[in-house]
Amino acid sequence: MFSRWPTGFGWAGEEVFRQTRGGADLSGRYFRCGFWLVLFVTACALAIAAGCSRRGYEAALVLADIAAGEGPSTLKEKTRDPITRPVSFEVDGRFYLADLYQPAARPQAGLLLVPGAAEEGKDDPRLVAFARSLARARFAVLVPDLPSLRQLRVNPGNVQELIDLFSMLVARAEWAPEGRAGMLAFSYAAGPALLAAMDADIRHQVGFVFTVGAYYDLEGVLNYFTTGYFRKQDRWHYREPNSYGKWVFVLGNLNRLSNLEDRRLFQAMFERKKTDLEAPIGDLAKQLSTEGERLYAFIANRDPELAPKLMRRLPGSILADIDSLDLANKDLS
């Protein structure tokens, strides 16, 4: 499912700066209305993909269990509790931690469930409840702990991480019987998941990919985050942007800046905005180097016609990452 609409970067599609009397909260708030809807649709699709008998009835049980969260449901009455345990892997010197949710009965398929960029990551209570529901539907669910996503530092290296994790999942017959396995990824992580699924090493092993809140045209998404404008039917439209995505972009690229003082200044800007969206940061912006000024000019701009030009002036390392993670420039056939 590809979306040309502007989306957020939280694991449930959008993690928001929440306005409160005391300021703004960036600690992991989610839109709730669309949250359950997309999970309902996802659960239906997963039940069908797994080839379950009486799939309509079972899908309904899964939907009701998701809606119940940790509360009682018919599916909980009919199934034993999944077994949850931490697991670890090492692939070519890269070390991974994850939680494995195993059905009480033999799993019918494996599932790599990937959170988006959110500080709670795999430990978000709603993600935990969702993984448990899928385990009750006979998926062995592997939920990785990806430090870069917890730190809101998204990067092309996330693609290799998902390739490694999926390879480990599908190689375990007790988790992915007969190699039946797929991926489910939320929001930002949907891009790396799709790119990983197209990798030559695993593409023929990936049985399915489901995404919720995926981006497609990454340049368009970034332009929206900064200006609030997006194109639809060749016309500009405005919606109040979610500032969270803009600052995820900044944090994700701090290490691409060559000037250590610029990194410190942008981190200080983030900390101010995390506490109060209206906090002034002009005094910090004045101290930036030429390289830092280019990044600041892009995120501070509100003119959609000017945004592409400002993006082209970003440091080459940042542009390379955008190109690598973009889906609009990839053959998705």
Side-chain angles (χ1 to χ4, degrees), residues 269-285:
M269 291 181 195
F270 168 75
E271 295 301 331
R272 286 190 190 178
K273 293 295 186 180
K274 181 177 179 179
T275 304
D276 179 5
L277 273 178
E278 303 304 321
I281 55 176
D283 59 314
L284 299 174

Side-chain angles (χ1 to χ4, degrees), residues 153 250-251 253-270 288-289 291-292:
R153 299 182 185 276
V250 171
L251 291 179
N253 286 286
L254 286 187
N255 291 338
R256 302 291 185 269
L257 298 176
S258 59
N259 188 303
L260 295 179
E261 180 63 10
D262 282 348
R263 298 182 192 181
R264 185 193 68 79
L265 290 167
F266 277 112
Q267 185 69 48
M269 291 181 195
F270 168 75
L288 293 168
S289 71
E291 183 184 54

Side-chain angles (χ1 to χ4, degrees), residues 173-325:
E174 67 273 25
W175 298 348
E178 300 177 14
R180 292 192 297 271
M183 302 182 192
L184 192 164
F186 287 103
S187 197
Y188 158 74
L194 289 162
L195 294 171
M198 293 189 293
D199 185 82
D201 289 341
I202 64 170
R203 63 185 304 166
H204 298 297
Q205 297 175 298
V206 181
F208 58 89
V209 181
F210 290 101
T211 69
V212 179
Y215 66 82
Y216 173 69
D217 180 349
L218 189 52
E219 180 176 336
V221 171
L222 294 173
N223 288 348
Y224 167 74
F225 280 154
T226 55
T227 70
Y229 285 92
F230 60 97
R231 281 195 177 277
K232 183 182 179 184
Q233 297 175 346
D234 296 324
R235 295 179 57 189
W236 286 115
H237 297 262
Y238 181 84
R239 288 175 59 189
E240 185 66 25
N242 173 3
S243 297
Y244 179 82
K246 175 170 67 178
W247 287 102
V248 167
F249 173 72
V250 171
L251 291 179
N253 286 286
L254 286 187
N255 291 338
R256 302 291 185 269
L257 298 176
S258 59
N259 188 303
L260 295 179
E261 180 63 10
D262 282 348
R263 298 182 192 181
R264 185 193 68 79
L265 290 167
F266 277 112
Q267 185 69 48
M269 291 181 195
F270 168 75
E271 295 301 331
R272 286 190 190 178
K273 293 295 186 180
K274 181 177 179 179
T275 304
D276 179 5
L277 273 178
E278 303 304 321
I281 55 176
D283 59 314
L284 299 174
K286 291 178 181 178
Q287 303 176 54
L288 293 168
S289 71
T290 300
E291 183 184 54
E293 287 176 348
R294 291 182 176 185
L295 175 56
Y296 182 78
F298 176 67
I299 66 170
N301 173 56
R302 298 294 181 268
D303 182 350
E305 299 290 353
L306 183 58
K309 178 181 179 180
L310 293 175
M311 179 175 286
R312 288 193 295 271
R313 295 179 67 241
L314 291 173
S317 55
I318 295 179
L319 291 175
D321 282 2
I322 294 173
D323 182 73
S324 178
L325 289 169

Side-chain angles (χ1 to χ4, degrees), residues 107-133:
Q108 298 300 298
L111 176 65
L112 178 61
L113 176 59
V114 192
E119 290 170 320
E120 289 189 275
K122 70 177 181 62
D123 299 319
D124 184 287
R126 286 158 293 187
L127 185 65
V128 170
F130 185 49
R132 288 173 61 83
S133 292

Side-chain angles (χ1 to χ4, degrees), residues 32-87:
R32 298 181 183 275
C33 295
F35 171 74
W36 291 116
L37 176 61
V38 294
L39 291 192
F40 287 175
V41 173
T42 302
C44 282
L46 285 171
I48 293 171
C52 300
S53 60
R54 299 182 303 163
R55 62 192 183 197
Y57 174 67
E58 184 164 14
L61 292 181
V62 173
L63 298 187
D65 190 55
I66 292 171
E70 295 294 348
S73 72
T74 301
L75 185 63
K76 289 185 178 70
E77 294 174 0
K78 291 179 173 290
T79 58
R80 288 177 288 166
D81 289 340
I83 301 167
T84 306
R85 62 187 179 91
V87 294

